[in-house]
Amino acid sequence: MKIQRQRHESKRQKFYRQVMVSLLVLQTLLVGVQAKNRIQQGDSAIEVMIWLINQYIPVLQRVKSLEDEQRKGDK
């Protein structure tokens, strides 16, 4: 019984991780599109790069936390 529950939770956690990864990829793509639009509107490339870095920091932090969770789950 306990083993079945652990397998079910593991499958659920794997599904949630896959959803999170998909959403992070989508967010990354949308930030890239938004950066392209900013350049087309006349923002300088340097301003857009600084903006991009600021947008990607939270994404990278989320990816790191997902990796940490996965490592804890693997142990």
Side-chain angles (χ1 to χ4, degrees), residues 30-48:
L30 292 174
V31 167
V33 169
Q34 195 172 5
K36 182 179 177 183
N37 288 340
R38 289 179 69 136
I39 289 174
Q40 289 175 348
Q41 291 173 358
D43 287 355
S44 73
I46 297 296
E47 288 174 337
V48 174

Side-chain angles (χ1 to χ4, degrees), residues 21-74:
V21 168
S22 300
L23 291 173
L24 290 171
V25 168
L26 180 61
Q27 183 178 4
T28 301
L29 291 172
L30 292 174
V31 167
V33 169
Q34 195 172 5
K36 182 179 177 183
N37 288 340
R38 289 179 69 136
I39 289 174
Q40 289 175 348
Q41 291 173 358
D43 287 355
S44 73
I46 297 296
E47 288 174 337
V48 174
M49 285 301 296
I50 292 169
W51 178 83
L52 270 172
I53 290 168
N54 287 327
Q55 297 301 308
Y56 284 134
I57 288 172
V59 173
L60 293 173
Q61 289 173 338
R62 287 188 210 124
V63 168
K64 177 67 174 151
S65 68
L66 282 174
E67 287 177 345
D68 291 344
E69 286 178 19
Q70 186 173 8
R71 284 190 189 127
K72 287 180 184 177
D74 290 344

